[in-house]
Amino acid sequence: MVKHQPLQVYERQLCLSCLTGIYGCRWKRYQRSHDDTTKWELLWSLILLFTFCLLLFWCYFWLEAHNDYNEFNWLLYNRSGAWSDSTVPILATTAAGFTYIAFLMVLALCHVAVGQQLNLLLCVCVCVCVCVCATGPFLHIGALAAVTALSWVVAGQVARAEKTRVQVVVLLLYLGVLLGLYLVPLSITSPCIMERSELKPRPDVIGHQGAPMLAPENTLMSFQRALQMNVTGLEADVTISVDGVPFLMRDRTLRRTTDVEKVFPDRHAEDASFFNWTDLRQLNAGQWFLEDDPFWTVHTLSEGEKREMANQSVCSLEQLLALAAPRNRTVVFRLRRPPAGHPCHHSWINDTLEAVHSVMWTPDEDRDQVRRMAPELLQTSLRKQSPQALHQQGVGRLLLRYNLASAQDVREFSQSNVSLALHTVNEPWLYSVLWCSGVPAVSSDAPHVLKKLLSPVWLLRPAEYCLIWVSADLVSFAVVVGIFIFQKFRMSGMRSYNPEQIMLKAAGRRSSQDVNIMKEKLIFSEVSNGIGTADELYMENSYDYYTNEGITQ
């Protein structure tokens, strides 16, 4: 008797073949013929998830850090001595890496959705939930939409699972994450969730180094452009030349913002304060801006502006005060004490006071002497202290970095009549948050950007935010329930199987145009009671197409 196994039929599934091939380089069907995820596949999936979470945080960090790109570049310049926009390669590699890893994550989730067990789902949900806890109110809605969409994959996993214990664990974990996400707004606080009547006046804008995105920093042209933006004050960095003239310079050397390497090639590494004013006046302080284009704004300038910019020179503190006085603008400057061995190392305060009037005095050194010699100066501190300590020192103004003052600090300084200004604020969203917090003034490199902001980027009354939050939760819950019901109905009566497994079917059940028929093997065997024909054997035996087992009648 000759026994025949029915012919194997392999149905083409191009979508799944592409998913598996791109994700795991498994293009041949026998490489995808198992149902269970191996330990190595699970390990690589977890590594992929961990990498995705790190890149997600890294990408979000650099997007939010846009306000401080220039400060980051300046910090690297002080350490390396070479100026470059270091954020460009960082952003490029971050975008490329995140795009690639996110693409792999999408492929992995698609595998889970079609029945390929990769055990990635629950960890992704937890990652999204943690992300939401660290962000603002509107990101909660985006995260809620993402987790709600993942319910399709979760419902499919629950419906396919053969063990009740697995179904319960997956379902409880997902619902726990979803419930936590529903309740996250209880812990979200934002200064811009407030009644509109409680909104404080628009914070004043102080031009930090003028308008350095539109003109070379610390030049007359930069301060003129800032005044055109209707700033309430000007902020500059001041050092003292070897012959006692206070001039504006942020760096310790002149290499970045002047052509000192061309005019004085042997002195380009010297401290800027060791140059006399005559030598400083010979340097060009504007050409570097046209060549380096640090803020990518040169293309917006007219030819006349470029010619004016190319002729800018080092600006003295006296020139800045002469520009600000007729317009009644406050001048804030950060005075750097000359290094040891400088002729003005001990007389730096007297030399500076001879040139200034009606300005904010920021250095803490010898503040009592300054108060005695120039009582009209506004005493301003750069160091965070309690309101009581500031009052004891006779300091009425405080200039801090924006991340050093919380909303509670702002309220305390305001109640104690201490005027607070925060630096450096360039982004509209950050300016809006500080506006809602009640900050009276900010220092900015981009006064032209903040000038356009007539109201906070967003402002919600508590009742409005509560309505948005509850509505989003209800819609999400309804969608999740609907998806679970639909998935349960769609997969009811279907046994768990791998969509890519090889199914054994009779060749006559499908036409050759629809399937690709492959003969795997033909077994000949003899039995003791004689030999039958193939047709007789086929009529005498039936086949279970789900278990791939022959059943003898």
Side-chain angles (χ1 to χ4, degrees):
M1 182 180 69
V2 179
K3 289 185 178 180
H4 293 263
Q5 270 195 311
L7 300 178
Q8 287 188 344
V9 179
Y10 172 63
E11 296 187 359
R12 292 182 181 274
Q13 293 182 329
L14 296 180
C15 180
L16 184 58
S17 298
C18 290
L19 286 177
T20 309
I22 296 174
Y23 178 73
C25 294
R26 294 179 173 180
W27 299 97
K28 299 179 180 180
R29 63 184 178 84
Y30 65 80
Q31 293 177 321
R32 307 187 296 271
S33 59
H34 56 80
D35 290 328
D36 298 327
T37 299
T38 65
K39 293 182 179 180
W40 283 110
E41 288 177 333
L42 179 58
L43 176 61
W44 283 114
S45 299
L46 293 177
I47 293 175
L48 173 64
L49 172 66
F50 182 71
T51 305
F52 174 78
C53 294
L54 288 180
L55 282 176
L56 180 64
F57 172 78
W58 184 250
C59 186
Y60 177 76
F61 170 80
W62 278 102
L63 288 177
E64 293 301 313
H66 187 268
N67 184 82
D68 301 322
Y69 284 178
N70 185 54
E71 198 164 337
F72 174 74
N73 290 332
W74 187 72
L75 177 64
L76 294 182
Y77 167 75
N78 282 337
R79 293 188 176 184
S80 65
W83 176 264
S84 64
D85 191 349
S86 303
T87 61
V88 173
I90 293 177
L91 293 175
T93 54
T94 298
F98 181 75
T99 301
Y100 175 68
I101 296 298
F103 177 64
L104 291 181
M105 284 297 300
V106 171
L107 292 177
L109 288 177
C110 289
H111 273 73
V112 175
V114 297
Q116 301 288 329
Q117 301 288 335
L118 292 177
N119 300 323
L120 290 169
L121 174 65
L122 297 176
C123 296
V124 173
C125 295
V126 173
C127 173
V128 173
C129 184
V130 172
C131 243
V132 170
C133 292
T135 53
F138 289 104
L139 289 183
H140 163 255
I141 298 177
L144 188 61
V147 175
T148 301
L150 287 176
S151 64
W152 179 271
V153 183
V154 178
Q157 292 293 92
V158 173
R160 290 190 186 96
E162 297 179 352
K163 296 181 179 180
T164 304
R165 182 174 57 184
V166 175
Q167 292 178 326
V168 172
V169 171
V170 172
L171 188 60
L172 288 180
L173 286 177
Y174 176 76
L175 293 180
V177 171
L178 194 62
L179 179 61
L181 194 56
Y182 287 161
L183 299 180
V184 158
L186 292 176
S187 63
I188 292 179
T189 58
S190 174
C192 290
I193 300 179
M194 61 185 300
E195 297 292 341
R196 297 181 183 275
S197 58
E198 299 176 358
L199 183 65
K200 298 295 181 66
R202 185 176 185 272
D204 294 333
V205 177
I206 300 173
H208 179 235
Q209 304 175 96
M213 293 187 180
L214 303 178
E217 62 186 54
N218 285 324
T219 62
L220 280 179
M221 183 179 182
S222 180
F223 293 114
Q224 290 169 350
R225 296 296 297 270
L227 292 174
Q228 293 173 2
M229 305 301 165
N230 199 31
V231 297
T232 59
L234 299 172
E235 182 182 354
D237 303 280
V238 179
T239 189
I240 301 176
S241 67
V242 73
D243 51 351
V245 178
F247 66 97
L248 310 185
M249 185 60 56
R250 184 181 188 184
D251 304 346
R252 287 191 173 274
T253 67
L254 302 168
R255 289 186 300 170
R256 180 174 68 91
T257 58
T258 70
D259 59 347
V260 65
E261 293 181 342
K262 177 181 178 181
V263 180
F264 302 105
D266 298 334
R267 304 179 61 191
H268 67 275
E270 279 189 35
D271 192 291
S273 60
F274 284 103
F275 285 77
N276 61 46
W277 180 240
T278 302
D279 293 339
L280 292 171
R281 292 292 295 171
Q282 299 180 39
L283 301 177
N284 185 298
Q287 187 63 37
W288 72 273
F289 187 87
L290 296 175
E291 296 174 354
D292 295 344
D293 195 8
F295 297 100
W296 300 350
T297 54
V298 172
H299 69 280
T300 64
L301 303 176
S302 65
E303 291 300 323
E305 291 173 330
K306 291 180 181 180
R307 286 193 296 271
E308 181 183 0
M309 189 176 297
N311 294 321
Q312 292 298 303
S313 58
V314 177
C315 180
S316 68
L317 178 59
E318 185 178 0
Q319 290 174 314
L320 172 60
L321 297 176
L323 179 67
R327 298 169 175 81
N328 196 27
R329 294 294 187 266
T330 301
V331 175
V332 184
F333 66 85
R334 304 187 187 199
L335 181 62
R336 180 169 67 89
R337 185 174 188 175
H342 192 280
C344 301
H345 179 70
H346 299 289
S347 63
W348 62 298
I349 292 179
N350 291 335
D351 294 336
T352 305
L353 289 177
E354 291 177 1
V356 304
H357 52 85
S358 299
V359 301
M360 295 184 185
W361 183 266
T362 58
D364 289 327
E365 298 158 286
D366 299 322
R367 190 179 292 277
D368 292 336
Q369 177 185 350
V370 175
R371 189 179 289 109
R372 289 193 305 269
M373 298 180 61
E376 71 280 4
L377 297 184
L378 301 175
Q379 295 296 323
T380 303
S381 178
L382 300 177
R383 184 163 53 92
K384 184 178 180 180
Q385 305 175 65
S386 66
Q388 295 77 15
L390 292 174
H391 286 310
Q392 290 176 0
Q393 300 174 23
V395 176
R397 292 174 179 265
L398 191 61
L399 182 62
L400 298 176
R401 181 170 168 78
Y402 70 87
N403 61 335
L404 296 180
S406 63
Q408 180 64 29
D409 293 332
V410 173
R411 287 191 293 268
E412 291 180 357
F413 289 127
S414 176
Q415 294 170 359
S416 303
N417 295 322
V418 175
S419 180
L420 178 65
L422 301 182
H423 67 89
T424 305
V425 179
N426 301 327
E427 292 296 309
W429 69 267
L430 180 57
Y431 183 73
S432 299
V433 171
L434 298 178
W435 184 347
C436 296
S437 300
V439 174
V442 300
S443 175
S444 175
D445 290 332
H448 63 292
V449 175
L450 303 187
K451 176 186 177 182
K452 302 176 183 177
L453 205 65
L454 303 180
S455 62
V457 173
W458 65 271
L459 186 65
L460 286 177
R461 293 186 293 113
E464 293 175 343
Y465 177 62
C466 184
L467 178 62
I468 294 174
W469 162 34
V470 174
S471 300
D473 287 354
L474 291 177
V475 171
S476 171
F477 181 75
V479 171
V480 169
V481 171
I483 288 176
F484 269 83
I485 293 176
F486 177 76
Q487 286 282 59
K488 182 65 176 178
F489 174 77
R490 187 174 72 93
M491 296 187 178
S492 60
M494 296 177 59
R495 300 187 59 177
S496 177
Y497 70 100
N498 188 331
E500 228 8 75
Q501 84 178 72
I502 301 173
M503 297 178 295
L504 300 179
K505 295 185 178 181
R509 298 294 295 272
R510 301 287 295 272
S511 65
S512 59
Q513 296 179 354
D514 298 330
V515 299
N516 186 15
I517 301 177
M518 295 174 294
K519 185 175 182 180
E520 297 289 341
K521 59 183 177 177
L522 181 61
I523 302 176
F524 294 90
S525 63
E526 295 184 359
V527 295
S528 58
N529 59 349
I531 299 178
T533 63
D535 293 336
E536 291 173 349
L537 177 63
Y538 186 78
M539 296 299 295
E540 292 175 358
N541 293 275
S542 61
Y543 192 79
D544 187 335
Y545 300 107
Y546 292 102
T547 61
N548 295 341
E549 296 176 354
I551 303 175
T552 304
Q553 295 180 348

